[in-house]
């Protein structure tokens, strides 16, 4: 069996990771290779100049009424039946990053054009034999969806029409919606001669818009959601007032696919290195956090208040012994991750109530992450109000690793979580998690067995149960140390095996 994976991210290559999809595209091929599957992984070349690369060939594609020459390279990381490939073009490398931020009125515009060109180049490379024809073409998220559109509707690629298409939805909330026409970043601007069925491709809420994710869901042979629970949640409509995030407008298409036996829910895996990291101490975490703060400060001529307050708080933490629980949180600062912490609760925000609950046990809360500017400002102000809160605005691998190792309780109150990797990394390090029982969090964290969970029928109820669960958990931590150690052991012992994921891919997703 030969699989061709197509994605926007791949953590097997430097500077090609933004979110969890990069981990999957890095790890899944290794697991598949151990099952005897050969895998080619293709992403855009974002400017990987330091990499040793080998020329494969060039393709010319008609795109946006122009001819574009695209170059394919094999990267030296190729090994063990896995070939890493990048497609080069100035549109991919000039931005210097995986994704671009467009003005509010033009969401996804730059990225949609960039990835549509990348998809066109991939289809042409397949047609011309520069890429080995796969038994399964595995597409990841909306960034690769135009591959399915071109293979199904462009007569030039009719010879590729029968390739088995597997489509993984990592986050249904991001769909890459663009107009069908009348915009330079639109389906008909990219492919003016394409004859397509708009009923398969249009957004269900905006009929004049092309929805890449919906297109791939309707055109693929199998649709993969990255946890069993999430694969059921997306069959129901979202209800934001009640704090439920489901199909995000695509529930009817997913229901239709499920009725045809095309929807598969397979939990992502986690790697478990054989060598244990040496025991760390809190001073090491504080020192690494300080180094990271200095590095972030140096990136701007003007000192950001969030870094100044964090440094003052860090000095306070280092000078004052702590005997209470260390609660940690690592992840992108988005509404998905922290909506519940921003809810009003008894005249304050939930984040303040969380800090108060932790403070009652003499504990501290350390948050590492960045993202939405408004949320960054909100957490900066919360840090200023709460002396036991340290908010580190940024990401540093070593700081995150130490937080997983040294924390007593990992907080992950996501409003929705297709799979989640942070909880798996915390559990791998022996840190129990307190999570909202949704999606992959429900499938990985079992209440009072290897962690703790809460739920609620409404946004208000979820906020209240989050706080009550936290309060009860911290009391349990203090009053039942032996039972707590057992939960820690259970968390560390559980395994979410990539080998099992690969087996499930082969038996269900790729057939």
């Amino acid at each position: 069996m030969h699989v061709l994976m197509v994605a926007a991210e791949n953590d097997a290559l430097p500077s090609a990771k933004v979110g969890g999809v990069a981990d999957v595209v890095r790890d899944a091929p290794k697991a598949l290779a151990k099952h005897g599957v050969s895998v080619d992984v293709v992403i855009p070349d974002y400017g990987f100049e330091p990499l040793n690369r080998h020329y494969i060939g060039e393709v010319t594609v008609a795109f946006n009424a122009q001819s574009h020459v695209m170059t394919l390279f094999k990267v030296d990381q190729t090994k063990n039946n896995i070939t890493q490939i990048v497609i080069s073009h100035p549109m991919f490398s000039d931005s210097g990053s995986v994704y671009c931020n467009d003005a509010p009125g033009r969401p996804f515009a730059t990225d949609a054009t960039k990835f549509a060109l990348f998809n066109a180049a991939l289809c042409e490379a397949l047609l011309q034999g520069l890429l080995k024809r796969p038994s399964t073409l595995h597409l990841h998220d909306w960034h690769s969806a135009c591959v399915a559109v071109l293979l199904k509707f462009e007569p030039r690629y009719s010879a590729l029409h029968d390739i088995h298409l597997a489509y993984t939805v990592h986050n249904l909330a991001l769909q890459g919606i663009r107009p069908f026409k009348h915009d330079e970043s639109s389906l008909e601007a990219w492919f003016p001669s394409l004859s397509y069925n708009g009923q398969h491709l249009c957004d269900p809420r905006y009929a004049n818009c092309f929805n890449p994710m919906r297109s791939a869901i309707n055109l693929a042979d199998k649709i993969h959601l990255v946890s069993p629970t999430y694969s059921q949640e997306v069959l129901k409509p979202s209800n934001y007032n009640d704090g439920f995030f489901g199909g995000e407008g695509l529930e009817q298409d997913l229901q239709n696919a499920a009725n045809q036996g095309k929807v598969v829910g397979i939990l992502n895996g986690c790697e478990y290195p054989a060598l244990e990291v040496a025991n760390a101490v809190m001073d090491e975490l504080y020192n690494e956090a300080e180094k990271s703060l200095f590095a972030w400060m140096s990136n701007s001529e003007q000192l950001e208040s969030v870094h100044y307050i964090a440094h003052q708080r860090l000095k306070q933490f280092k000078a004052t012994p702590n005997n209470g629980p260390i609660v940690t949180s690592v992840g992108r600062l988005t509404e998905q991750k922290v909506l519940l912490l921003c809810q009003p609760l008894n005249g304050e925000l939930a984040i303040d109530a969380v800090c108060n609950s932790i403070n009652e046990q003499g504990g501290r809360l350390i948050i590492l992450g960045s993202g939405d500017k408004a949320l960054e400002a909100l957490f900066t102000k919360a840090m200023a109000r709460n002396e036991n809160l340290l908010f580190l605005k940024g990401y540093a691998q070593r700081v995150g690793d130490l937080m997983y190792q040294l924390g007593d309780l990992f907080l992950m109150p996501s409003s929705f979580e297709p799979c989640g990797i942070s909880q798996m990394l915390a559990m791998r390090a022996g840190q129990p998690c307190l999570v909202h029982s949704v999606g992959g969090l429900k499938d990985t964290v079992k209440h009072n067995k290897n962690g703790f969970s809460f739920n609620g029928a409404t946004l208000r109820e979820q906020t209240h149960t989050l706080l009550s669960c936290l309060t009860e958990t911290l009391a349990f931590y203090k009053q039942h140390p032996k039972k707590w150690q057992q939960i820690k052991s259970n968390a560390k012992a559980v395994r979410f095996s990539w080998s099992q994921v690969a087996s499930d891919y082969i038996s269900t997703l790729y057939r």
Side-chain angles (χ1 to χ4, degrees):
M1 178 181 286
H2 177 62
V3 173
L4 175 61
M5 283 200 181
V6 186
E9 303 180 37
N10 179 8
D11 196 38
L13 302 180
S15 303
K17 171 182 166 66
V18 175
V21 61
D23 298 328
V24 174
V25 176
R26 176 197 67 208
D27 296 336
K30 292 184 286 186
L32 287 166
K34 291 179 181 178
H35 284 261
V37 179
S38 65
V39 186
D40 290 347
V41 183
V42 187
I43 69 168
D45 180 355
Y46 300 112
F48 303 128
E49 293 304 329
L51 292 178
N52 291 323
R53 58 179 73 206
H54 305 281
Y55 177 80
I56 297 175
E58 292 182 347
V59 294
T60 300
V61 298
F63 182 82
N64 242 342
Q66 297 180 6
S67 291
H68 294 260
V69 178
M70 325 283 284
T71 310
L72 282 77
F73 293 98
K74 182 168 65 174
V75 179
D76 255 0
Q77 268 86 340
T78 296
K79 58 183 179 180
N80 298 331
N81 230 15
I82 304 166
T83 304
Q84 306 289 352
I85 298 169
V86 296
I87 299 180
S88 296
H89 186 274
M91 191 183 294
F92 309 152
S93 55
D94 284 353
S95 64
S97 60
V98 176
Y99 304 121
C100 303
N101 292 318
D102 287 295
R106 288 174 56 77
F108 304 113
T110 301
D111 283 342
T113 297
K114 174 174 69 182
F115 291 117
L117 176 60
F118 165 64
N119 289 187
L122 183 126
C123 292
E124 192 64 26
L126 266 175
L127 183 66
Q128 296 187 24
L130 295 180
L131 292 173
K132 180 181 176 182
R133 183 187 179 101
S135 49
T136 293
L137 183 52
H138 189 165
L139 310 177
H140 292 267
D141 266 347
W142 72 265
H143 317 91
S144 60
C146 277
V147 171
V149 174
L150 290 171
L151 293 190
K152 297 299 183 184
F153 292 116
E154 173 54 63
R156 177 174 176 79
Y157 303 122
S158 59
L160 307 172
H161 189 82
D162 61 346
I163 294 177
H164 182 84
L165 289 183
Y167 181 60
T168 293
V169 177
H170 294 274
N171 189 342
L172 201 59
L174 300 175
Q175 300 176 10
I177 302 168
R178 294 302 303 150
F180 274 117
K181 53 187 176 181
H182 305 313
D183 191 288
E184 62 181 4
S185 178
S186 65
L187 184 66
E188 292 191 12
W190 304 328
F191 311 113
S193 62
L194 184 69
S195 179
Y196 58 87
N197 184 337
Q199 293 301 312
H200 288 93
L201 310 187
C202 72
D203 184 86
R205 295 153 294 189
Y206 312 103
N208 62 337
C209 286
F210 163 59
N211 186 317
M213 182 163 282
R214 179 173 185 247
S215 302
I217 287 170
N218 285 329
L219 299 175
D221 298 294
K222 288 288 180 71
I223 299 96
H224 168 219
L225 286 306
V226 290
S227 70
T229 295
Y230 190 59
S231 72
Q232 297 304 305
E233 290 172 346
V234 298
L235 304 181
K236 304 172 186 176
S238 300
N239 185 330
Y240 305 131
N241 291 333
D242 285 344
F244 177 73
F245 295 78
E248 298 292 280
L250 303 184
E251 57 276 357
Q252 189 60 58
D253 299 282
L254 288 162
Q255 288 171 22
N256 293 340
N259 291 337
Q260 298 171 47
K262 293 167 58 175
V263 172
V264 179
I266 303 172
L267 187 72
N268 287 337
C270 181
E271 290 202 319
Y272 297 89
L275 296 176
E276 292 275 342
V277 180
N279 289 335
V281 294
M282 286 305 299
D283 281 346
E284 187 177 352
L285 170 58
Y286 293 152
N287 291 336
E288 286 293 332
E290 188 170 54
K291 289 179 187 177
S292 297
L293 276 171
F294 287 152
W296 299 334
M297 289 178 191
S298 69
N299 289 333
S300 173
E301 292 183 1
Q302 292 186 325
L303 177 62
E304 293 186 52
S305 59
V306 61
H307 297 325
Y308 174 78
I309 298 170
H311 190 244
Q312 294 300 306
R313 184 59 33 79
L314 195 56
K315 288 167 63 177
Q316 171 195 327
F317 279 11
K318 292 172 75 173
T320 309
N322 176 70
N323 297 316
I326 300 294
V327 181
T328 65
S329 183
V330 179
R332 291 278 296 163
L333 213 62
T334 63
E335 189 173 84
Q336 169 198 351
K337 303 288 187 180
V338 300
L339 176 64
L340 293 182
L341 295 176
C342 303
Q343 297 305 300
L345 186 67
N346 302 326
E348 58 185 359
L349 293 182
I351 180 63
D352 297 298
V354 164
C355 289
N356 291 337
S357 180
I358 296 170
N359 194 49
E360 288 174 2
Q361 301 295 339
R364 294 170 175 173
L365 173 59
I366 304 176
I367 297 174
L368 173 67
S370 61
D372 183 277
K373 298 298 181 185
L375 293 174
E376 290 175 351
L378 186 149
F379 275 76
T380 300
K381 293 175 181 176
M383 175 167 59
R385 294 192 299 269
N386 296 279
E387 292 189 356
N388 67 332
L389 171 59
L390 171 62
F391 167 45
L392 301 167
K393 194 202 87 171
Y395 185 73
Q397 184 72 42
R398 180 60 180 157
V399 175
D401 290 343
L402 288 168
M403 288 173 65
Y404 290 129
Q405 291 178 54
L406 294 167
D408 296 301
L409 180 67
F410 190 82
L411 184 63
M412 198 166 175
S414 307
S415 290
F416 66 97
E417 196 63 63
C419 176
I421 184 63
S422 295
Q423 86 278 17
M424 293 184 186
L425 298 177
M427 295 169 75
R428 183 180 74 180
Q431 182 177 183
C433 301
L434 190 156
V435 305
H436 187 189
S437 188
V438 293
L441 299 178
K442 183 175 182 179
D443 293 326
T444 51
V445 178
K446 305 304 178 185
H447 188 61
N448 282 336
K449 293 181 180 178
N450 60 23
F452 307 90
S453 62
F454 66 91
N455 214 329
T458 66
L459 195 56
R460 177 180 174 82
E461 188 177 325
Q462 291 164 17
T463 306
H464 280 276
T465 54
L466 160 62
L467 185 61
S468 62
C469 185
L470 175 64
T471 302
E472 292 167 6
T473 299
L474 293 176
F476 181 86
Y477 166 84
K478 183 178 181 180
Q479 296 167 9
H480 304 284
K482 289 185 178 180
K483 291 182 180 179
W484 185 270
Q485 287 301 318
Q486 184 59 56
I487 288 177
K488 280 175 63 73
S489 297
N490 292 345
K492 192 168 187 174
V494 72
R495 290 290 181 267
F496 307 105
S497 161
W498 269 116
S499 179
Q500 182 59 54
V501 174
S503 179
D504 291 341
Y505 276 10
I506 294 166
S507 64
T508 59
L509 187 59
Y510 294 165
R511 298 187 189 279

